[in-house]
Amino acid sequence: MLTSLFPNVDWEKMWDATYETLYMTSISTIVTFILGLAIGIILFLTSPNQLWANKIVNFLTGSVVNIFRSIPFIVLIILLIPFTKFLLGTIRGADAALPALIIGAAPFYARMVLIALREIDRGVIEAARSMGAKTSTIIWKVLIPESLPALISGVTVTAVALVGYTAMAGIIGAGGLGNLAFLDGFQRNRQDVTLMATILILVVVFIIQWIGDMITVKTDKR
């Protein structure tokens, strides 16, 4: 039945492209979570009246985040071509898309982390400080646990955005479903290939959202 509905689809290529999309999304989401969390914590702790209050560091970090967050992803990919080629020796393939995916998503997630941390009751932080807790203890025992549902919700939104980013990266040969939809679908006027690639992208997005929502609910103790 699938063959009759999608006569031009090469299923082996389609599954390979799906794997590449999942690979790019998973790796970039993990690295984005780590970098974005670190940057978001720095932004929070260096803001006024916080443990590491520092206007210069806060301004510089915030400026970098705002700059990279404001650049359209397709433009960012092009700007990072020399860096990607220097780093990996190529600009084609799933691995070559990772630098742009991470650099594009980490600042976005960092802002979501900052928003989540600002929602924490200041009294909880002050109580930990009054008991002589170290900064590292406050980060791991107060900030992250208290904001965990929001952090997971934020990384879910970021992962969904990264699926879309991988599709755009496919236009310049990064692989994945976006690349297949563009080369085998659009350029060869095979609408069934484009449609199938789109359906699989939507399936990936729905699964990510479902998993993220489930974990968010389980970690929310309110």
Side-chain angles (χ1 to χ4, degrees), residues 11 34 52 95 101 108 111 114 145 159 162 175 181 183 194 211 214-215:
W11 292 103
I34 296 169
W52 295 344
D95 287 332
L101 290 171
F108 172 77
R111 279 295 174 189
L114 178 61
L162 280 167
L183 293 180
T194 304
I211 293 173
M214 182 177 63
I215 296 174

Side-chain angles (χ1 to χ4, degrees), residues 149-164:
L151 294 179
I152 294 172
S153 180
V155 82
T156 302
V157 172
T158 305
V160 169
L162 280 167
V163 175

Side-chain angles (χ1 to χ4, degrees), residues 113-219:
V113 171
L114 178 61
I115 292 171
L117 295 176
R118 284 175 174 171
E119 293 298 317
I120 298 174
D121 186 351
R122 187 172 178 82
V124 177
I125 301 174
E126 291 299 330
R129 291 177 67 178
S130 65
M131 290 188 290
K134 296 179 181 179
T135 303
S136 58
T137 302
I138 292 175
I139 292 172
W140 292 106
K141 299 294 185 180
V142 178
L143 297 184
I144 293 178
E146 288 291 324
S147 62
L148 191 57
L151 294 179
I152 294 172
S153 180
V155 82
T156 302
V157 172
T158 305
V160 169
L162 280 167
V163 175
Y165 287 175
T166 64
M168 284 188 278
I171 296 176
I172 64 164
L177 291 167
N179 183 65
L180 188 66
F182 180 70
L183 293 180
D184 282 12
F186 176 75
Q187 288 196 339
R188 296 184 180 182
N189 197 28
R190 295 175 175 174
Q191 295 183 0
D192 57 330
V193 176
T194 304
L195 177 60
M196 191 66 231
T198 303
I199 291 172
L200 288 174
I201 288 173
L202 290 174
V203 170
V204 171
V205 167
F206 290 150
I207 291 173
I208 290 173
Q209 190 66 58
W210 176 74
I211 293 173
D213 289 345
M214 182 177 63
I215 296 174
T216 300
V217 170
K218 287 189 175 182
T219 55

